[in-house]
Amino acid sequence: MADNSESPGMSTRPYLLRALHDWCTDNGYTPYIAVHVDPTVQVPMEYVKNNEIVLNIGFEATSALKLGNEFVEFKARFGGVSREIVVPVDHVVAIYARENGQGMAFPMPTEGGARPGGEVDRPSPTVRGLRLASSEPEVADEPGDDEPPEPAAPGSGRPALKRVK
């Protein structure tokens, strides 16, 4: 599922984030979010790599977790120091279970920011090791990464997440 850009209503992303967080918690999994970092995101910048950070949003790793309609907010310890984290919901590009990688990827925020309602223009085929199974194959952009992508497994035709090395 992705945000419906034709709907003038509120984005479905915060509702899906809450639902998948609940699913992870109920099944004993650790919920992680991948976040696109820009100046509107408040995270420890020393842990950001390629404008992305992956955060554990499990209850054991956070305090005062709030999965709101506009922001994901919580406090967490990084290197023993408590930090306040504030992430606009439209900057969450994936939520998944650490243990099995099951989850959901979302479109990246637009360069100029999101349109009203949190909707965005372009999909994110790759999110730090996750790729939408229905997206086009990745193009190698790093030296030594010229192996062809694995062919998609036959399935029900439903998009799913899979780990990409």
Side-chain angles (χ1 to χ4, degrees):
M1 283 186 162
D3 294 334
N4 183 354
S5 61
E6 294 180 21
S7 171
M10 187 180 295
S11 171
T12 58
R13 191 178 308 208
Y15 298 94
L16 295 169
L17 290 174
R18 287 190 289 269
L20 286 166
H21 183 274
D22 287 349
W23 175 81
C24 284
T25 302
D26 290 351
N27 286 284
Y29 299 138
T30 309
Y32 275 24
I33 58 173
V35 176
H36 173 72
V37 178
D38 69 11
T40 66
V41 176
Q42 182 179 323
V43 295
M45 296 306 286
E46 62 269 26
Y47 296 97
V48 173
K49 184 177 179 184
N50 298 324
N51 294 328
E52 182 180 288
I53 187 168
V54 176
L55 301 167
N56 177 345
I57 59 167
F59 290 121
E60 299 80 24
T62 63
S63 110
L65 176 65
K66 181 181 174 194
L67 298 171
N69 289 340
E70 299 295 324
F71 296 97
V72 173
E73 302 174 74
F74 60 93
K75 293 179 183 169
R77 293 180 107 39
F78 291 84
V81 178
S82 181
R83 307 285 282 269
E84 189 159 333
I85 307 301
V86 180
V87 175
V89 167
D90 71 333
H91 282 58
V92 176
V93 293
I95 180 169
Y96 60 95
R98 179 192 69 188
E99 292 79 4
N100 61 15
Q102 290 185 359
M104 182 175 287
F106 301 102
M108 292 280 285
T110 58
E111 294 296 322
R115 295 189 306 261
E119 306 304 334
V120 293
D121 289 326
R122 54 189 156 86
S124 170
T126 306
V127 177
R128 189 175 169 140
L130 297 176
R131 179 170 48 131
L132 289 173
S134 62
S135 66
E136 295 179 21
E138 281 186 357
V139 176
D141 59 354
E142 294 182 19
D145 194 22
D146 50 354
E147 293 181 20
E150 295 180 25
S156 64
R158 248 177 67 198
L161 291 176
K162 70 177 185 177
R163 291 187 184 269
V164 176
K165 293 183 180 181

